[in-house]
Every structure is written in C-alpha cells, then in structure tokens.
Amino acid sequence: MILANVRGRLGEQDFRLVALALARGDVARRAGYERRMVEQGPDGLLDEPGLLEALLALRTLAHPSPPLFAYVAVRHTLRAAGVDDRELADYLAALLLEFGDHDRHVRIRHADDATYHYLVDMLEDLAGLDDTGERGLLLRVHLGNYSLWFAGLFPDYIEARRTHRGGPDLPYYDELGRQGYRLASEHRLAERFGVASIYRTASERFPTLRVAFNRLSDRVFFPNITTPDKILRNM
C-alpha cells in the first residue's frame, strides 16, 4: 500500500541541499537557512517560494534525491493550485515515486500477478470482489491512483487516443478517479491504516489535483514537448 511517507525519507543531506539551492551561492544566506531549519524544522523551508525552481536550476555535482524532488515538485504544484495539504502532497509524491518503478502502475501492489491497463478492467474486478477484504481496498485505491497518474501526467496521450481511436476523455478519468478514492475512503480498512482522510480529500479535489498534475507534467517532466492541447492548457 502506498503511504504518505516521503517527508519521512528525507535526511540531513537533503536538507543541506535545500539550503544550498535557496541560498544561490550566498554563504551567509545558506547559514541562515540551515539555522532556521534547526530552529523551526524543515517544513517551512520545504515550502519556501522558489525552491522548486532553485532545485531545477542547480548546476553542481549535488542533485536532489528522488524523494526530495518528488515532494517539493508535488507540494509546490498543489499549493499553486490552492491545495495546501502537506499530508496529501506527501501521499501523491509517494504515488509518483511508486508508479515510476517499472510496471508498478498496472499492479495494485508490487507482488501481484494481476495487471490492469484499463479502468474498465478494475471496475469489472471490483464488482466481483468481497468489499470488506484488503484486495477490495487496494483495487479501489488503484482506481483513483491510476486515474490521477495517467490523466495527470499524460493528458496529451489521452487526448490523442480519444481523437484517433475514440478513447475516453479527461472528465471520464476525473469521474472514475473521484469514485475510486471515495470508495476507498469508505472502506473499513482505510481508517485502520490511517489513510481515509487522504482518500476523502483526493476524491473531493480530484479534478483540481488532475489539473495540477497536468501543469507538473508540462512544466517539469515534459517541458520541451509542445502540442496544441498543451498550448491551450497553458494559455
């Protein structure tokens, strides 16, 4: 199960790099950031305006670890979209890291034989599952996770497939993603695992999260790709 644990993976080296990036070569400023982190904790510095740009602009041998970059990229993109929720940002950063691992995005967990390439396949399996079991929860969550990951990071592919093959559009992913997270939040195991509130918020804010991920995709992951739909999204 994907958990909101990316901030917990950050270490001293990550925080030193944050101070270095924000200082932009100013030794006194760097010392000030490091002192502030010791006195106030890292969250304020991780929210510092301009940190994502500073990490992207680093031209040193030091570079952000995957957890640091994923959390900062997601947190700053969500805040720009009006979603100021650290726990949700932490969870979605974990989602990006997890789904970036080989074929994890088509499996409800790493060690699982079943693969899901289409949302309709998840819906079919959900209809035949025991709703109270762990697999039922994982499949509900995967419906939300996959919808957000795919429609958020690859909107141009979805639009091209819709135009040329009659595939579903982005509102279809919004609706099923919202439904997946809502059903997951209502599962009896969600409260036990401490994830019900995350799923509930993700369901309520799904279209906003998807649009935020579209911007993250355009700006960070695929900045040099230009399509008509991308131009329209960024007007």
Side-chain angles (χ1 to χ4, degrees):
M1 174 177 290
I2 297 173
L3 299 174
N5 60 9
V6 175
R7 277 184 299 166
R9 303 184 214 174
L10 302 181
E12 184 178 345
Q13 185 174 349
D14 293 305
F15 299 133
R16 284 202 303 265
L17 186 62
V18 167
L20 173 67
L22 288 172
R24 297 181 184 272
D26 187 316
V27 176
R29 288 183 65 192
R30 179 178 176 182
Y33 284 128
E34 291 177 344
R35 184 168 54 252
R36 175 180 159 191
M37 192 150 14
V38 170
E39 294 172 351
Q40 302 177 14
D43 279 335
L45 221 56
L46 291 171
D47 285 351
E48 188 73 15
L51 176 57
L52 178 56
E53 291 78 6
L55 291 176
L56 289 169
L58 279 174
R59 294 296 182 267
T60 69
L61 292 177
H63 57 84
S65 67
L68 173 61
F69 187 80
Y71 177 75
V72 171
V74 171
R75 172 71 171 150
H76 284 240
T77 301
L78 292 190
R79 291 190 79 198
V83 182
D84 190 359
D85 186 323
R86 285 196 180 100
E87 189 175 29
L88 180 61
D90 205 345
Y91 176 80
L92 296 180
L95 169 62
L96 288 187
L97 292 172
E98 187 98 353
F99 272 26
D101 184 8
H102 301 293
D103 64 349
R104 172 62 176 85
H105 64 285
V106 298
R107 301 178 189 274
I108 64 173
R109 52 190 163 197
H110 278 291
D112 201 271
D113 293 333
T115 59
Y116 298 94
H117 295 271
Y118 300 100
L119 298 183
V120 65
D121 295 331
M122 301 179 209
L123 293 174
E124 286 181 5
D125 273 11
L126 273 173
L129 275 181
D130 173 10
D131 285 346
T132 63
E134 182 177 352
R135 188 173 186 82
L137 172 61
L138 293 177
L139 194 51
R140 292 175 180 200
V141 175
H142 196 69
L143 181 61
N145 286 342
Y146 184 89
S147 297
L148 180 58
W149 176 81
F150 192 42
L153 297 187
F154 308 101
D156 294 317
Y157 177 79
I158 289 175
E159 181 59 26
R161 193 169 64 175
R162 184 192 69 81
T163 301
H164 299 296
R165 302 183 185 177
D169 57 10
L170 290 173
Y172 171 84
Y173 286 88
D174 287 348
E175 180 56 34
L176 290 189
R178 188 204 308 262
Q179 180 181 343
Y181 282 133
R182 178 182 60 78
L183 291 172
S185 74
E186 296 168 353
H187 195 281
R188 67 179 185 85
L189 295 178
E191 288 289 352
R192 181 187 301 178
F193 295 147
V195 288
S197 64
I198 294 176
Y199 298 154
R200 191 175 303 115
T201 303
S203 174
E204 293 168 353
R205 304 299 302 272
F206 192 95
T208 300
L209 299 180
R210 193 263 300 162
V211 171
F213 266 46
N214 290 163
R215 292 172 181 162
L216 180 62
S217 176
D218 292 342
R219 177 185 177 192
V220 175
F221 296 127
F222 305 108
N224 299 318
I225 294 178
T226 301
T227 68
D229 293 295
K230 182 176 180 177
I231 293 172
L232 290 174
R233 281 196 303 273
N234 290 280
M235 286 181 63

